Amino acid sequence: MSGEAILDPGVRSVTDEEVRFFFENGWVKLERLISRDYAAQLLKGAKRLFGDDGNAPNDEPELPEGYRWFRTHVGLGDSDPHYRALATSQTLGRNFACLFGRESSIRKMRDSLLLKHPVGGGMAEPTRYHQDTLQNFFSEANTLNIWMALDEVRREQGALRFYSRSHKLGNLGNLLNPEIWESWASYLEEHCTLTDPIHLQPGDVTVHSHFTIHGTGANSSPHPRWSWGALYLPGDARYTGAQSPFTDGLGLEPFGSLDHPAFPIIYSPGGRHAE
């Protein structure tokens, strides 16, 4: 069977142990969430966009120095059938409901291809430690971020690191501001644990809360780092009215539903999900 024939990502269910680890630490590694073969198909789609070396031209914004963490392409879960099958998987949605801690419906917000260039490339800088709070002001609910390796991600390629238990501290402000970061640094060192860079095989993922502090080193290897990420939240979360590139211009009402074709329900205890 050719790789292109596989359209079922075969997402596995999370275990009770993985859920307990997530609740305690604010992040979790899920090994072999999908098969290596399916991850290889996703990698082919990524390379069609960015080229084998990650340098093919693509329509994306120019980022200022200090924020050139990775190249990105938004919306493969809408345009590519293999990414769409993964991004809207019912089992994936059920896994997120378990990690949220309640049997809610799950809504997909946005997904992105994320490529960190090899050493010397334009997008190889370290990803500075931060929370994902700023991008989530549009929603009154917690969000979960999934980060999947499309190819092997070695420690020296800019693999993710997390401050375990930092999700329990809430919103710490703009940690990209050096003064704010320094004001928290000693507390984080004393009360949280910074993980080693997390080595991932194709199809392995990490999931983290938007409050969990995370970042990476530079990609110091000669190989691109290929990954895919997506944002999910409970289906009953309301729109706050805050400005956001996710929601601006869509006609949503403050403190109303986030129901919109761009944000499908992928899992519901009653069985409603994206077609």
Side-chain angles (χ1 to χ4, degrees), residues 18-28 162-168 193 195 207-209 212-213:
E18 288 168 336
V19 172
R20 285 192 294 269
F21 185 95
F22 176 81
F23 286 167
E24 174 61 25
N25 294 285
W27 70 275
V28 65
F162 298 99
Y163 275 90
S164 292
R165 302 183 300 281
S166 59
H167 66 304
K168 300 178 181 181
T193 303
T195 68
V207 179
H208 65 271
S209 161
T212 305
I213 300 171

Side-chain angles (χ1 to χ4, degrees), residues 54-93:
N55 287 312
N58 191 261
D59 184 19
E60 56 193 293
E62 179 69 23
L63 298 174
E65 188 174 352
Y67 292 86
R68 295 169 185 167
W69 300 343
F70 44 74
R71 291 190 70 182
T72 185
H73 179 90
V74 176
L76 276 176
D78 301 320
S79 60
D80 182 289
H82 294 98
Y83 282 91
R84 186 174 193 274
L86 170 62
T88 61
S89 161
Q90 289 188 73
T91 303
L92 186 67

Side-chain angles (χ1 to χ4, degrees), residues 138 140 237-243 247 251-258:
F138 69 88
E140 66 180 351
R238 296 184 301 173
Y239 171 58
T240 64
Q243 289 185 325
T247 53
L252 299 172
E253 293 293 327
F255 302 106
S257 170
L258 280 161

